[in-house]
Structure formats: C-alpha cells, structure tokens
C-alpha cells in the first residue's frame, strides 16, 4: 500500500502580546530576585550555623518557593529544622527564637508557637547586590536593602509536610514548565491586592 502524502505542519504562531508581557515580567522578577540571592544565601547560612551550634545533630533546610523556583522578590524564605531534640513543638520554637532573635540584620523576631505549623517569623534586612561585567563577585549596592520574611519551623524527626509538598511541586513543574510564569504572575497580583497571606 502507498502511504498517504504527508501534510505540511501548520506554521507556528508568534507569541501573542500578552505572552510577551508575561515573559518580560518573569525576566524582570528573576533579575530582581538575583540581586537578593547573595544576601539570602548569607542569611540562611548564618541562621543555620546558629541553630546547628546549639543542636549539632539538626539539619537546617530550605523548602517552599525558594526550592521550587516559584519565588518572587517579595517571597519569604521557608526554613525547616529537622531532627531537632525531642521536645514539644512550643518548646522547640521558643529555643529557636532565642537562638536567632539577636542575629545580625534581624529587624524583628516573632515566635508563633500556636500556629498550625509552629514557627518563628523573622524580618531580615537584605542588602541588594549587583555584579558588573568586570567583577564576578556580587557587591552590595549603596543604600539599597529590602526586608525579607524568614519563617523557621522545627520538627523532632525528618517528616515535614512543607518539604513533602515541595517535592510534589518540583515534579509538577518539571512535567509542566509553563506553570511557573502563570504562578509568578498570580502571586505578584495577589500580593499587590493584599491577598498573599
């Protein structure tokens, strides 16, 4: 049998103006987040060091939007302290608060022991950085800083709902990468109208 003639594929349509706007928005958001990345990393390392000095067997990990890539420049940093000493959640949060409340650049520290997930919420002053073509090392920009929320939770073992959810979201994003621009756009809109909490 002779196979039917192949039909030419339809021409690819150029992205519509709205698609271009969303792409430019995501690029701008990623660039703004990149200017914070060095300070965010230093904040995490400093807090992790303080906690692990007190609890040598604990593991301090980042989860949530900073791990999934769904973070915006206004996103908080979600930190989980795993394998903390055996104690009630309220006690663990009180100890975490005492360990980090006087850390450099911490503007405020509020323990929330009775939240659905007990945590300590920090406001941390993050210095923005830039990287010129002549220097590969990021440098703080003059008088440029923003406040970032950092949420620290703790659990006795290694079972943490936030970390489990992070793995699920990362798998979905791997299968459907176009989810990311839409989620970033939605998160930014909700933040603008005050519905992001």
């Amino acid at each position: 049998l002779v196979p039917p003639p192949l039909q030419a594929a339809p021409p690819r349509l150029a992205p519509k103006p709205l698609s271009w706007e969303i792409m430019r928005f995501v690029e701008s958001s990623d660039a703004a987040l990149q200017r914070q990345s060095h300070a965010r990393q230093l904040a995490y390392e400093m807090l992790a060091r303080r906690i692990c000095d007190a609890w040598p067997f604990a593991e301090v990990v980042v989860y949530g939007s900073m791990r999934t890539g769904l973070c915006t420049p206004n996103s908080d940093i979600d930190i989980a302290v795993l394998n903390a000493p055996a104690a009630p959640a309220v006690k663990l949060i009180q100890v975490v608060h005492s360990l980090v409340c006087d850390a450099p650049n911490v503007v405020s520290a509020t323990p929330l022991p009775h939240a659905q997930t007990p945590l300590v919420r920090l406001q941390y002053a993050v210095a923005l950085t830039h990287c010129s073509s002549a220097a590969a090392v990021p440098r703080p920009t003059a008088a440029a800083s923003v406040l970032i929320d950092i949420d620290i939770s703790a659990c006795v073992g290694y079972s943490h709902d936030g970390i489990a959810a992070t793995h699920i979201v990362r798998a979905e994003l791997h299968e459907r990468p176009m989810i990311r621009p839409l989620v970033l756009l939605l998160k930014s809109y909700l933040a603008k109208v005050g519905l992001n909490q």
Side-chain angles (χ1 to χ4, degrees):
L1 298 175
V2 179
L6 296 176
Q7 296 183 352
R12 293 179 63 89
L13 298 177
K16 297 182 183 288
L18 179 59
S19 297
W20 281 114
E21 291 295 327
I22 293 174
M23 291 165 61
R24 282 196 289 266
F25 165 79
V26 172
E27 290 172 358
S28 174
S29 177
D30 287 347
L33 189 64
Q34 182 63 32
R35 291 193 291 273
Q36 301 176 6
S37 61
H38 183 64
R40 283 175 176 254
Q41 180 66 26
L42 290 179
Y44 160 73
E45 291 174 357
M46 180 271 296
L47 295 171
R49 188 163 51 248
R50 283 186 166 230
I51 293 169
C52 290
D53 284 347
W55 295 338
F57 296 104
E59 184 177 348
V60 182
V61 299
V62 174
Y63 68 99
S65 64
M66 290 294 297
R67 275 310 227 184
T68 61
L70 296 177
C71 50
T72 70
N74 297 320
S75 292
D76 58 6
I77 304 174
D78 295 306
I79 294 176
V81 182
L82 306 178
N83 200 33
V90 172
K91 178 61 176 177
L92 292 176
I93 292 306
Q94 290 172 345
V95 175
V96 170
H97 177 261
S98 68
L99 293 174
V100 302
C101 64
D102 61 345
N105 298 334
V106 171
V107 177
S108 67
T110 306
L112 301 172
H114 301 296
Q116 183 175 2
T117 300
L119 55 86
V120 178
R121 176 159 294 166
L122 307 180
Q123 274 205 318
Y124 188 89
V126 171
L128 304 183
T129 60
H130 75 281
C131 188
S132 66
S133 57
V137 179
R139 298 192 303 271
T141 57
S145 65
V146 295
L147 290 178
I148 298 295
D149 289 333
I150 302 177
D151 291 342
I152 307 175
S153 57
C155 62
V156 173
Y158 287 91
S159 178
H160 191 283
D161 290 343
I163 294 176
T166 297
H167 293 320
I168 294 171
V169 173
R170 284 170 62 94
E172 287 295 321
L173 288 172
H174 179 74
E175 293 294 326
R176 303 170 179 83
M178 286 311 296
I179 292 176
R180 181 175 184 263
L182 299 178
V183 171
L184 292 179
L185 184 65
L186 179 60
K187 288 180 69 172
S188 296
Y189 172 74
L190 293 176
K192 188 172 183 178
V193 297
L195 296 176
N196 60 323
Q197 294 299 323

